[in-house]
């Protein structure tokens, strides 16, 4: 795999050929198709994709957060710190979640329990995972709230979620995710529901915490601007597959996949030149009812060739840790050399 | 796009929209949410005025009040020179065809039990006496206009994707040949690749039909693309209003500066060492706004006068308006 070749340290989380399907009344939905990636300690991996691209389902599959059935992990290998996650018992998995792996979800109002105080919800993982006494957990909880920048932390432990604003609630979510010193933090669109000025606060906070605590972060978003500012590496997903992956500067400077290129062109900016007309990507995202025998982007691609309709391209290395799943070569405008 | 930039279509003067808060067993009024607290601006014929701000700043309330979906607490509204701030009943109803709205959530604003054809035809039934054939012809014409397949007129909203549903909402808004459309976050619920399709459609329609838009959005980059002039709202008031280039290149108000600097750009080279103005804290509650300038609790350049006196909304030349004490002395 392209990821394994770079860097010295061992990945903390490694995923190989993961495939997740949903069995519904209308047939199977192939939500995640042969997804492979790895994250090293201290690294921030950005995952970009539209709704339905499989980015959230991938991350939820990793930690057994999907309801099964209807979901089913058909194949693939998930390794956390060398241990096989798929072989773990429910109790081991529960230890991993909230312990070594923290989650932050998009909507802080629906993921916090409205009838318990914020303090109770931060103390809970500390007591369960770390076995702290009530008193010690309370002290640690106040430290965590202070760490994520909530003023008057000890007093606010007694408050309920509705007494916090949106940005503050997201800080509480981050505090809960950080409670047990996770080695990996999975953040699923953590700033999407927030205003830009609050988003800027949260991004600064996460950058800061990452430096202080040195954990690996997987940051799922649909906003290319956010990824450009914080990620070390970026993975672009489309139709349940990884279509392009590479170091952030390399990927933004030399996007290879027509989808990534179109995505970068279609987003207007607040500075620089302003185009008279937006470049749009015509058509709709693919229906994932069948395992794709062709490239999932073929129907919307401006460079579609015969081969794209017959075969689903595999990811191939294009140098500098950058890989792409596409037959088209932007350098020549024709078929990429069969590697 | 502007044929005659001085031709005012909509005039808003001192618009206030306050909502009472009732509490206790006697449901007595204990306070007021000042959602919109004194807006004054004009919208020129054929332009797109962008109205930006964070959630809760009152931008949607302003849009709805301008269309008289609410009864404004105070202030004057004019459309084509006619005062509409207090008209009622049939007089207001007869004006409705002129001013329409496109909503944010195309899932929630379309009746799931009606076919697309009947959704688009509903305003025609309400406001125009048409024969069945005329009506059907108009529905199909509208579907063509917004890029929906004619054959789908008999389908229900759930059979469409988000972008297509937004097209249905646009077709319905266009049905009565309006002059003025309030677009309330029409692309916020859509994926990036679909947003561009809808924005391009709105621009095409504006050019073809000579529409005037009030484009309400929190997406500053999209507003920069679409709007001719931009108004920035904070806590119920407009803090700055200027032509697009002036606002994005030379913002005058500290809030506009902070807002622009908070928008992430899709460029890792510049993003890594960009200096951001990080605003501290949250937006105060509109039920209890601070004394003086509304922005004084978060403003990085706050002065003593800001905490006592409300800055006036003044014109600083070339259509650039702002309300800030920093500018008063200059």
């Amino acid at each position: 795999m392209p990821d394994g070749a770079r860097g010295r340290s061992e990945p903390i989380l490694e995923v190989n050929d993961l495939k997740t399907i949903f069995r519904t009344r209308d047939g199977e939905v192939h939500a995640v198709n042969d997804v492979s990636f790895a994250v090293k300690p201290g690294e921030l991996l950005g995952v970009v994709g539209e709704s339905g691209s499989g980015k959230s389902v991938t991350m939820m599959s990793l930690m057994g957060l999907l309801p099964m059935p209807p979901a089913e992990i058909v194949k693939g290998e998930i390794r956390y710190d060398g241990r096989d996650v798929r072989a773990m018992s429910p109790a081991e998995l529960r230890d991993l979640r909230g312990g070594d792996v923290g989650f932050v979800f998009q909507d802080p109002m629906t993921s916090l329990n409205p009838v318990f105080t914020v303090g109770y919800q931060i103390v809970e993982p500390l007591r369960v995972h770390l076995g702290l006494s009530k008193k010690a957990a309370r002290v640690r909880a106040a430290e965590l709230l202070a760490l994520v920048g909530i003023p008057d932390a000890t007093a606010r432990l007694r408050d309920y979620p509705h007494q916090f604003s949106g940005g503050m609630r997201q800080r509480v979510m981050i505090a809960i995710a950080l409670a047990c010193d996770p080695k990996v933090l999975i953040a699923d669109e953590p700033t999407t529901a927030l205003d830009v000025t609050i988003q800027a606060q949260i991004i600064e906070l996460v950058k800061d915490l990452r430096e202080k605590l040195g954990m690996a972060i997987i940051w799922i978003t649909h906003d290319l601007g956010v990824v450009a500012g914080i990620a070390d590496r970026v993975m672009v997903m489309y139709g349940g597959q990884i279509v392009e992956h590479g170091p952030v500067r390399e990927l933004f400077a030399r996007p290879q996949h027509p989808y990534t290129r179109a995505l970068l062109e279609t987003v207007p900016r607040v500075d620089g030149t302003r185009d008279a007309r937006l470049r749009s990507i015509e058509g709709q995202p693919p229906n994932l009812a069948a395992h794709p025998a062709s490239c999932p982007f073929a129907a919307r691609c401006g460079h579609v060739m015969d081969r794209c309709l017959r075969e689903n391209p595999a990811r191939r290395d294009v140098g500098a840790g950058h890989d792409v799943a596409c037959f088209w070569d932007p350098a020549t405008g024709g078929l990429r050399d069969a590697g | 796009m502007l044929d005659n930039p001085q031709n005012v279509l909509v005039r808003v003067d001192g618009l206030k929209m306050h909502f009472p808060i009732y509490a206790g067993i006697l449901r007595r009024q204990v306070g007021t949410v000042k959602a919109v607290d004194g807006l004054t601006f004009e919208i020129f014929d054929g332009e797109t005025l962008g109205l930006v701000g964070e959630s809760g700043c009152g931008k949607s309330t302003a849009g709805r009040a301008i269309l008289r979906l609410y009864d404004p607490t105070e202030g004057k509204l004019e459309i084509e020179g006619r005062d509409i701030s207090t008209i009622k009943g049939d007089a207001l109803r007869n004006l409705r065809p002129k001013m329409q709205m496109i909503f944010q959530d195309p899932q929630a604003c379309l009746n799931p039990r009606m076919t697309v054809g009947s959704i688009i035809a509903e305003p025609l039934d309400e406001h125009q006496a048409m024969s069945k054939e005329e009506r059907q012809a108009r529905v199909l014409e509208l579907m063509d206009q917004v890029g929906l397949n004619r054959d789908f007129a008999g389908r229900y909203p759930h059979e469409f994707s988000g972008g297509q549903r937004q097209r249905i909402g646009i077709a319905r808004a266009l049905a009565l040949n309006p002059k003025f459309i309030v677009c309330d976050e029409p692309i916020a619920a859509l994926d990036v690749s679909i947003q561009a399709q809808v924005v391009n459609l709105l621009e095409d329609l504006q050019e073809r039909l000579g529409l005037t838009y009030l484009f309400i959005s929190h997406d500053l980059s999209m507003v920069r693309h679409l709007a001719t002039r931009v108004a920035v709202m904070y806590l119920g008031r407009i803090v700055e209003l200027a032509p697009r280039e002036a606002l994005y290149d030379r913002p005058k108000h500290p809030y506009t500066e902070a807002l622009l600097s908070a928008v992430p750009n899709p460029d890792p080279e510049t993003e890594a060492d960009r200096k951001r103005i990080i605003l501290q804290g949250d937006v105060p509650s509109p039920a209890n706004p601070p004394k003086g300038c509304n922005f004084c609790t978060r403003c990085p350049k706050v002065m003593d006068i800001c905490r006592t006196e409300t800055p006036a909304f003044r014109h600083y030349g070339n259509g650039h308006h702002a309300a800030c004490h920093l500018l008063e002395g200059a």
Side-chain angles (χ1 to χ4, degrees):
Chain A
M1 273 288 102
D3 303 319
R6 293 189 329 117
R8 282 148 283 124
S9 56
E10 286 296 303
I12 181 94
L13 184 69
E14 200 176 355
V15 177
N16 283 315
D17 294 324
L18 179 73
K19 182 165 173 59
T20 305
I21 64 168
F22 289 89
R23 293 189 200 281
T24 70
R25 250 192 320 191
D26 303 325
E28 292 175 357
V29 176
H30 296 247
V32 178
N33 290 314
D34 299 332
V35 164
S36 304
F37 65 93
V39 200
K40 277 178 257 166
E43 191 181 36
L44 202 152
L45 174 70
V47 183
V48 182
E50 297 176 63
S51 30
S53 64
K55 52 196 196 309
S56 295
V57 177
T58 303
M59 297 311 152
M60 290 172 91
S61 309
L62 296 187
M63 293 298 128
L65 284 175
L66 289 174
M68 304 193 187
E72 187 184 334
I73 298 177
V74 192
K75 68 173 176 124
E77 186 188 39
I78 304 162
R79 289 196 168 274
Y80 171 77
D81 211 3
R83 289 151 67 200
D84 186 352
V85 175
R86 283 189 69 193
M88 284 183 187
S89 69
E92 283 175 304
L93 254 181
R94 200 160 52 233
D95 261 357
L96 193 61
R97 287 192 299 250
D100 280 352
V101 181
F103 277 90
V104 178
F105 296 98
Q106 174 172 350
D107 186 350
M109 196 65 225
T110 50
S111 33
L112 287 171
N113 191 331
V115 303
F116 291 109
T117 62
V118 156
Y120 179 87
Q121 296 182 61
I122 307 179
V123 164
E124 191 183 7
L126 291 167
R127 309 240 316 145
V128 172
H129 289 290
L130 303 182
L132 293 185
S133 72
K134 235 179 193 162
K135 215 169 160 190
R138 201 97 191 146
V139 172
R140 173 87 179 117
E143 279 172 23
L144 284 163
L145 277 194
L147 178 73
V148 296
I150 293 183
D152 203 7
T154 315
R156 299 228 67 182
L157 287 176
R158 283 191 296 274
D159 285 351
Y160 288 88
H162 74 267
Q163 291 167 293
F164 289 79
S165 66
M168 285 294 169
R169 266 182 233 136
Q170 200 55 289
R171 284 171 192 259
V172 171
M173 282 303 295
I174 293 173
I176 295 174
L178 294 178
C180 303
D181 277 327
K183 307 238 167 29
V184 181
L185 180 71
I186 300 178
D188 189 352
E189 305 247 12
T191 58
T192 305
L194 306 176
D195 281 313
V196 276
T197 59
I198 309 296
Q199 168 172 290
Q201 289 176 3
I202 298 287
I203 289 176
E204 288 303 310
L205 170 70
V206 170
K207 274 186 184 167
D208 195 40
L209 290 174
R210 184 183 154 213
E211 234 156 73
K212 266 190 214 154
L213 310 174
M215 64 203 156
I217 301 177
I218 300 176
W219 187 292
I220 304 175
T221 180
H222 64 275
D223 189 333
L224 288 163
V226 171
V227 159
I230 55 167
D232 299 314
R233 282 188 300 132
V234 183
M235 190 162 108
V236 182
M237 292 192 70
Y238 188 84
Q241 307 182 12
I242 298 174
V243 293
E244 186 160 6
H245 156 262
V248 64
R249 284 174 185 235
E250 160 74 20
L251 188 128
F252 277 77
R254 272 198 306 282
Q256 299 288 309
H257 198 282
Y259 176 64
T260 318
R261 296 165 73 95
L263 216 48
L264 282 168
E265 278 173 9
T266 184
V267 187
R269 311 172 44 135
V270 288
D271 62 359
T273 54
R274 178 182 160 274
D275 296 322
R277 200 175 164 79
L278 288 180
R279 290 277 303 267
S280 69
I281 310 175
E282 292 307 321
Q284 304 294 330
N287 173 0
L288 299 172
H291 185 87
S294 61
C295 172
F297 191 58
R300 303 173 77 187
C301 183
H303 305 286
V304 63
M305 297 174 288
D306 285 346
R307 192 169 173 194
C308 310
L309 303 171
R310 279 185 277 112
E311 205 180 321
N312 193 349
R315 286 164 73 186
R316 64 178 81 188
D317 208 337
V318 292
H322 190 168
D323 62 272
V324 60
C326 183
F327 295 123
W328 179 72
D329 187 348
T332 63
L335 208 64
R336 196 181 284 278
D337 290 335
Chain B
M1 235 176 280
L2 293 180
D3 298 316
N4 180 0
Q6 292 318 308
N7 204 350
V8 175
L9 183 74
V10 179
R11 193 187 299 276
V12 180
D13 191 7
L15 178 71
K16 288 189 183 177
M17 191 64 234
H18 294 178
F19 296 97
I21 309 169
Y22 297 108
I25 32 170
L26 299 173
R27 311 310 295 166
R28 264 192 300 230
Q29 186 175 343
V30 294
T32 322
V33 175
K34 296 175 178 168
V36 173
D37 202 23
L39 299 188
T40 301
F41 61 93
E42 287 159 350
I43 304 174
F44 299 127
D45 199 2
E47 81 164 341
T48 301
L49 178 70
L51 186 58
V52 298
E54 298 179 90
S55 41
C57 73
K59 52 192 192 306
S60 292
T61 307
R64 287 167 182 235
I66 291 167
L67 288 187
R68 282 298 313 278
L69 296 177
Y70 298 129
D71 290 328
T73 314
E74 223 182 288
K76 222 172 127 181
L77 287 170
E78 267 177 30
I79 183 162
E80 290 183 310
R82 190 169 160 206
D83 187 347
I84 61 160
S85 36
T86 52
I87 57 168
K88 284 193 166 63
D90 278 347
L92 181 58
R93 206 180 132 77
N94 291 337
L95 267 176
R96 292 270 177 235
K98 252 191 206 132
M99 37 190 211
Q100 289 287 321
M101 186 150 183
I102 299 169
F103 296 91
Q104 169 172 359
D105 187 349
Q107 174 88 53
C109 75
L110 303 176
N111 187 336
R113 289 167 174 267
M114 285 168 76
T115 62
V116 168
S118 47
I119 288 172
I120 300 174
E122 207 179 11
L124 300 172
D125 294 340
E126 287 289 318
H127 287 278
Q128 278 170 355
M130 278 184 159
S131 71
K132 224 174 165 185
E133 290 73 31
E134 281 174 332
R135 203 184 69 166
Q136 185 63 12
R138 177 72 182 138
V139 167
L140 295 180
E141 184 192 330
L142 284 163
M143 290 184 76
D144 288 345
Q145 243 170 18
V146 298
L148 284 170
N149 190 334
R150 281 171 168 245
D151 301 337
F152 296 165
R155 295 197 180 183
Y156 291 89
H158 74 265
E159 297 175 76
F160 293 84
S161 67
Q164 284 172 315
R165 272 190 221 129
Q166 200 51 280
R167 288 173 196 264
I168 300 169
I170 295 172
R172 177 176 61 182
L174 290 176
L176 297 167
N177 291 317
K179 285 205 67 124
F180 175 54
I181 300 183
V182 173
C183 311
D184 187 3
E185 303 257 16
I187 53 166
L190 306 177
D191 270 319
V192 187
S193 73
I194 309 296
Q195 285 185 352
Q197 295 178 9
V198 172
V199 165
N200 284 341
L201 173 67
L202 286 172
E203 285 186 310
D204 289 345
L205 291 169
Q206 180 169 48
E207 208 157 301
R208 230 181 309 150
L209 308 172
L211 299 169
T212 304
Y213 292 138
L214 176 65
F215 191 86
I216 301 171
S217 178
H218 67 275
D219 185 339
L220 286 140
S221 41
M222 202 51 100
V223 167
R224 176 171 184 251
H225 173 79
L226 213 87
T228 32
R229 292 187 310 143
V230 182
V232 181
M233 265 185 94
Y234 185 81
L235 209 58
R237 295 190 192 142
I238 293 182
V239 296
E240 187 163 1
L241 169 69
R244 179 186 59 223
E245 273 80 19
L247 188 107
Y248 283 88
D249 298 344
R250 299 177 298 281
K252 285 189 189 290
H253 198 283
Y255 178 63
T256 316
E257 282 175 13
L259 207 55
L260 288 173
S261 92
V263 180
N265 259 329
D267 185 351
E269 303 292 336
T270 60
E271 203 64 7
D273 37 46
R274 193 159 131 225
K275 277 276 164 282
R276 280 225 167 81
I277 306 168
I278 304 285
L279 289 180
Q280 298 304 316
D282 292 301
V283 186
S285 155
N288 186 18
K291 201 167 161 346
C293 173
N294 273 349
F295 189 51
C296 73
T297 54
R298 297 173 82 197
C299 183
K301 298 176 181 170
V302 65
M303 303 176 293
D304 285 341
I305 187 176
C306 308
R307 296 207 174 87
T308 51
E309 267 174 63
T310 307
F313 187 61
R314 288 186 209 282
H315 186 217
Y316 290 96
N318 300 323
H320 206 138
H321 302 259
C324 181
H325 287 302
L326 281 170
L327 307 169
E328 302 264 323

